[in-house]
Amino acid sequence: MRWAGFLGCLLLIASYGFQRSFQIGLQVPLHFDSEEKSEKVLRIATFNVALSAQQPNGLKHRLRSTSDLQLQNIAAILQKIRPSIVLLNEFDFDESGESVGLLQSNYLQRPQHELKPISYPYVYVAPSNTGIPSGFDLDRDGKLDSPGDALGFGNFPGQYAFVLLSQFELEREKIRTFQKFLWRDLPGALLPDHPDRLGQGDWYSKDELAILRLSSKNHVDIPVSVHGHRLHLLLSHPTPPVFDGPENRNGRRNHDEIRLWSDYLSGEEHANYLIDDAGKSGGLHPEDLFVVLGDLNADPVDGDSYNQAIHQLLEHVRVHPAVWLDDRVPHSEGGKFQKPRNPPHKGNPAEDTAAWGLRVDYVLPARELEILRSGVFWPNPNETEATWLKPSSDHRLVWVDLKLP
């Protein structure tokens, strides 16, 4: 449960050279050979890798080594599960593209625990609101430069960003981002109330609301070409609904960040208020295929999320109902052995995706896509692979195998 990113540019890295295209985002084709996949079957995963550093360029320095135990175990998990597409949350933004290149060359392309290397020809690093100074005391701690005063929580620009790795080509010209969309412009926004005043939605001043963005990191729609189909990958990492006060500003923001995707799925007309960073309005076309993925920081029954926030997506008419209704909900053997930090635990522990006992990481496909298999990488404590977990992340990788129409 951390935070992400920094405003960036789009950088296309060709083999043995750079060709820069300064647009929102960073797509990096690295020209590795894609692995053969079963026709029309696609494994998609999300993994909060908890790699964000405490100083700028800290992650880049770590990635220059080939012997970092956490990075080795993260790479081993990816080599074991072998997703065709994976979103990595909490990977610090690096506009040069060097960090993601080092992740591939120094870890993913090297055998870990005697596993087969894996490569991703296409990479997209999303710009983010975290760490960008707001100029206001947003958290009311008497300071203007604390992490809670940034447009999204962060100690420095670029911290806690996210990156998409894909073995299928990204349709770069059709990518949409909603990084700059203001929270106040969401109809019926759950703006926090100041506990010492009688008004509603008055925690933030008018001047603060004029610059405060809804997304704590970014909301990105990336179309990808898969076996003759266009699949929209809807990426985000909403703020955790904790670390605030009675105003519940983080819980309310988490709810509305999740709502953005819910409205986006409801169609172009329903979401006509949504204006992306390029000035285009509206939501997803009703016939478009999609997968929502990321650390959404909201559990269906446990935890501190506001008004069951994740159900806005789980119960959405366009989302496949199996992601919360039957045995195709991603689950694990190891999750059953955890000791939740905040009992009582109402949910099924086998479905949890975080070490503290919550389901917060999701891969949510459109109902038109057939779910073949799914899982959470959380081995039984008696298995050798369980030793990879502690020095990797406090989150678990979640994967779903899909069959396209």
Side-chain angles (χ1 to χ4, degrees):
M1 295 179 55
R2 293 183 177 86
W3 319 72
F6 174 55
L7 273 173
C9 61
L10 188 139
L11 175 63
L12 181 67
I13 298 180
S15 121
Y16 308 109
F18 299 101
Q19 295 180 348
R20 293 182 181 268
S21 176
F22 288 93
Q23 301 177 20
I24 292 177
L26 172 68
Q27 177 172 298
V28 188
L30 298 175
H31 295 286
F32 302 125
D33 293 331
S34 296
E35 299 185 352
E36 293 185 2
K37 300 292 179 184
S38 300
E39 186 176 1
K40 292 191 177 182
V41 175
L42 180 67
R43 176 165 291 183
I44 297 183
T46 187
F47 191 11
N48 183 327
V49 289
L51 282 174
S52 288
Q54 293 304 305
Q55 300 84 26
N57 297 314
L59 176 58
K60 185 189 297 186
H61 291 311
R62 285 184 64 187
L63 287 161
R64 287 172 179 157
S65 164
T66 60
S67 57
D68 186 292
L69 182 59
Q70 182 187 7
L71 286 160
Q72 287 175 332
N73 286 331
I74 287 169
I77 292 169
L78 290 169
Q79 290 172 357
K80 176 69 176 181
I81 302 301
R82 311 195 72 76
S84 300
I85 296 171
V86 59
L87 174 66
L88 303 182
N89 287 121
E90 297 192 16
F91 188 94
D92 293 344
F93 183 85
D94 171 17
E95 65 178 353
S96 73
E98 183 179 358
S99 293
V100 70
L102 290 170
L103 174 68
Q104 298 229 51
S105 62
N106 287 349
Y107 291 94
L108 298 182
Q109 293 178 16
R110 295 172 181 262
Q112 310 293 341
H113 303 294
E114 300 183 351
L115 293 166
K116 183 180 177 182
I118 192 167
S119 297
Y120 293 93
Y122 306 97
V123 178
Y124 182 91
V125 180
S128 177
N129 288 322
T130 47
I132 300 176
S134 70
F136 293 97
D137 181 16
L138 297 179
D139 59 4
R140 307 293 185 258
D141 67 349
K143 304 175 183 178
L144 297 179
D145 59 354
S146 61
D149 297 325
L151 295 181
F153 185 96
N155 290 286
F156 59 87
Q159 189 179 28
Y160 306 128
F162 56 77
V163 56
L164 181 78
L165 308 180
S166 176
Q167 294 177 342
F168 294 92
E169 184 176 1
L170 311 181
E171 297 186 15
R172 177 169 57 90
E173 71 284 355
K174 297 183 181 298
I175 293 173
R176 299 182 70 188
T177 64
F178 295 88
Q179 179 187 4
K180 299 178 182 179
F181 181 82
L182 297 180
W183 190 359
R184 69 175 188 185
D185 291 340
L186 182 77
L190 297 176
L191 298 171
D193 304 331
H194 197 291
D196 298 328
R197 301 171 186 163
L198 297 177
Q200 293 184 332
D202 57 357
W203 174 266
Y204 298 113
S205 69
K206 290 184 178 180
D207 289 341
E208 290 169 339
L209 290 175
I211 57 93
L212 183 57
R213 300 168 180 179
L214 171 59
S215 184
S216 57
K217 288 86 177 176
N218 203 338
H219 284 65
V220 185
D221 174 355
I222 301 182
V224 58
S225 299
V226 182
H227 303 311
H229 293 272
R230 174 180 294 158
L231 183 67
H232 290 259
L233 306 174
L234 308 184
L235 318 177
S236 63
H237 184 187
T239 190
V242 289
F243 310 125
D244 50 21
E247 81 288 348
N248 198 13
R249 67 186 189 279
N250 291 333
R252 288 167 175 258
R253 189 176 186 180
N254 171 275
H255 178 282
D256 282 357
E257 287 194 69
I258 293 172
R259 183 188 151 192
L260 187 152
W261 281 145
S262 177
D263 287 355
Y264 192 69
L265 294 179
S266 295
E268 296 173 315
E269 294 184 1
H270 182 82
N272 58 7
Y273 71 87
L274 266 178
I275 301 176
D276 65 26
D277 296 325
K280 179 182 177 181
S281 64
L284 198 65
H285 190 277
E287 296 181 0
D288 286 341
L289 300 174
F290 66 87
V291 178
V292 180
L293 64 162
D295 174 2
L296 302 185
N297 272 319
D299 185 283
V301 293
D302 295 306
D304 299 296
S305 62
Y306 186 91
N307 196 25
Q308 296 184 309
I310 193 60
H311 284 270
Q312 297 175 101
L313 287 175
L314 294 183
E315 299 181 28
H316 197 285
V317 66
R318 295 195 63 187
V319 172
H320 202 302
V323 298
W324 70 288
L325 284 177
D326 63 26
D327 58 4
R328 285 172 290 180
V329 175
H331 60 277
S332 69
E333 286 297 317
K336 301 174 184 178
F337 295 90
Q338 64 174 301
K339 294 181 179 179
R341 297 179 188 174
N342 299 305
H345 192 282
K346 300 177 184 178
N348 182 355
E351 297 174 5
D352 289 341
T353 68
W356 58 89
L358 293 177
R359 181 187 179 192
V360 294
D361 305 273
Y362 295 88
V363 179
L364 306 177
R367 69 166 57 235
E368 294 86 356
L369 299 170
E370 181 180 355
I371 298 177
L372 301 177
R373 292 166 295 274
S374 65
V376 178
F377 183 82
W378 197 334
N380 185 300
N382 296 323
E383 297 181 54
T384 301
E385 294 164 349
T387 61
W388 305 350
L389 296 179
K390 189 172 183 179
S392 62
S393 173
D394 54 355
H395 290 250
R396 306 296 180 243
L397 181 146
V398 179
W399 59 271
V400 174
D401 282 351
L402 302 172
K403 185 175 181 182
L404 302 178

